[in-house]
Amino acid sequence: MAPKVQQTKAAKAAAALAGGKKGKKKWNKGKVKDKAQHVVILDQEKYDRILKDVPTYKYVSVSVLVDRLKIGGSLARVALRQLEEDGIITPVLKHSKQAVYTRAQ
């Protein structure tokens, strides 16, 4: 068997840099959830829809308004307070974190 030809230092360094470029394995593609585009400033159209639709809901909370009317949470809290003052909805449970209302009889 013929003796192995020794590589130069520069050739060894180039070979070391060339190998191992793959990196870590990606286990999934990473599904990205679309960011919700909720209204944060109340316009007349949304205000009219709140006055028309909310009195028909049996269960009213901030999360219900955000989900159904596509408005921001702070806007939903303000709307619920206003509707309660007007007598359109009545509180079932009031807590600092979650308020639950129902339609007025």
Side-chain angles (χ1 to χ4, degrees):
M1 199 161 131
K4 204 171 188 183
V5 178
Q6 195 72 12
Q7 288 181 324
T8 64
K9 277 192 171 184
K12 284 183 185 178
L17 286 174
K21 290 269 187 190
K22 188 170 183 215
K24 290 178 77 172
K25 182 180 186 324
K26 293 276 189 193
W27 287 99
N28 62 0
K29 296 283 187 253
K31 294 175 182 71
V32 178
K33 186 178 176 188
D34 290 336
K35 191 158 173 59
Q37 296 294 322
H38 292 320
V39 176
V40 292
I41 298 174
L42 197 61
D43 56 348
Q44 189 63 43
E45 178 189 333
K46 283 284 183 193
Y47 181 70
D48 293 340
R49 187 157 174 231
I50 288 171
L51 290 179
K52 183 175 79 89
D53 291 350
V54 173
T56 64
Y57 299 160
K58 185 175 181 180
Y59 172 85
V60 185
S61 69
V62 173
S63 53
V64 168
L65 294 185
V66 167
D67 188 46
R68 294 186 189 175
L69 300 176
K70 303 291 185 247
I71 60 177
S74 58
L75 197 61
R77 283 191 295 275
V78 171
L80 286 177
R81 279 197 295 269
Q82 184 64 43
L83 291 171
E84 183 188 2
E85 285 177 17
D86 295 345
I88 296 172
I89 55 176
T90 56
V92 174
L93 170 80
K94 285 185 104 173
H95 190 268
S96 62
K97 304 290 183 234
Q98 179 76 20
V100 178
Y101 298 89
T102 188
R103 57 183 172 228
Q105 261 69 36

